[in-house]
Amino acid sequence: GDQVEQSPSALSLHEGTGSALRCNFTTTMRAVQWFQQNSRGSLINLFYLASGTKENGRLKSTFNSKESYSTLHIRDAQLEDSGTYFCAARTGGNNKLTFGQGTVLSVIP
Amino acid sequence: EAAVTQSPRNKVAVTGGKVTLSCNQTNNHNNMYWYRQDTGHGLRLIHYSYGAGSTEKGDIPDGYKASRPSQENFSLILELATPSQTSVYFCASGGGTGGSNERLFFGHGTKLSVL
């Protein structure tokens, strides 16, 4: 079965507001990576976490390997934040990343 | 940001034809990967490699071969293309040595249509 369950599948935010995206893992993961896929289809690196929390501008991500989840918080959303957000996680002992299904984020004026 | 270059960006192929997708990275990364992206499935791993001369099967390898002739280059080969292989293909590279070196960096993708 799927090892990475991402939610919600779609989200609409008004400019200036915020929300959280979540990934739940059905097996122990040792690291998680978050990407934004923009309108041109490019995958942009946002965060890589083996544990704890990282913050970059209006984005913040947390990875809790014990409780098997990761979150991506977006605050003060801007139009250019629109796109599809993917989490991808790495199980112990191999170099493969397994992707979630993605969250389609629409930021509306 | 690490650079991964894919070619071609777009490809139209005929059923039964041979297709080769190329990927080049200049980051001296050990690991390289081929994924495909389809609506409703996210990105799925086809083949990957730990270094020159190595190829490993990913989660959906059927109908695909891979070749890693050098540290920099990793090709995906469709010997007999089928319409079900119409997709967007992404190549990625990563250091694979632990910690943040394990981050993957992706190319811009190749849109393949098999008619």
Side-chain angles (χ1 to χ4, degrees):
Chain A
D2 288 348
Q3 296 180 313
V4 181
E5 299 165 351
Q6 199 169 341
S7 62
S9 57
L11 179 64
S12 289
L13 290 176
H14 285 282
E15 267 186 300
T17 64
S19 189
L21 315 181
R22 185 174 174 108
C23 280
N24 291 322
F25 311 119
T26 57
T27 189
T28 301
M29 300 295 185
R30 62 186 177 91
V32 66
Q33 197 166 350
W34 283 91
F35 299 89
Q36 179 199 21
Q37 189 168 36
N38 63 19
S39 58
R40 288 178 296 172
S42 296
L43 286 158
I44 300 164
N45 272 306
L46 298 177
F47 294 103
Y48 176 92
L49 299 103
S51 64
T53 298
K54 288 187 178 178
E55 193 163 355
N56 184 7
R58 296 177 292 101
L59 300 178
K60 182 170 74 173
S61 182
T62 296
F63 174 44
N64 187 321
S65 59
K66 267 190 179 177
E67 296 186 19
S68 297
Y69 75 89
S70 178
T71 57
L72 177 69
H73 291 259
I74 301 173
R75 63 176 175 84
D76 187 24
Q78 303 296 306
L79 296 176
E80 62 264 27
D81 294 332
S82 294
T84 303
Y85 289 78
F86 290 98
C87 69
R90 189 185 302 276
T91 57
N94 68 63
N95 285 307
K96 299 194 301 179
L97 271 186
T98 300
F99 278 76
Q101 300 294 316
T103 295
V104 180
L105 174 65
S106 301
V107 181
I108 49 183
Chain B
E1 184 97 341
V4 179
T5 304
Q6 291 181 232
S7 62
R9 294 293 298 269
N10 291 281
K11 173 75 177 177
V12 179
V14 295
T15 297
K18 182 176 181 178
V19 177
T20 300
L21 306 183
S22 300
C23 181
N24 175 273
Q25 54 99 1
T26 56
N27 311 301
N28 200 32
H29 285 161
N30 291 328
N31 299 338
M32 295 186 74
Y33 307 80
W34 277 105
Y35 287 85
R36 63 179 282 178
Q37 184 178 24
D38 304 287
T39 304
H41 287 283
L43 277 83
R44 293 180 291 172
L45 182 63
I46 306 169
H47 283 289
Y48 60 106
S49 168
Y50 291 123
S54 116
T55 59
E56 306 288 337
K57 291 182 178 180
D59 298 321
I60 52 163
D62 292 347
Y64 303 93
K65 289 184 182 178
S67 174
R68 183 87 181 270
S70 65
Q71 181 82 338
E72 297 79 18
N73 295 296
F74 189 39
S75 298
L76 186 68
I77 303 151
L78 291 67
E79 294 279 4
L80 294 168
T82 68
S84 64
Q85 293 175 311
T86 294
S87 187
V88 180
Y89 291 85
F90 286 94
C91 175
S93 74
T97 55
S100 61
N101 288 329
E102 293 183 332
R103 281 188 304 166
L104 291 199
F105 296 89
F106 281 81
H108 290 292
T110 295
K111 187 173 181 180
L112 173 65
S113 299
V114 182
L115 307 179

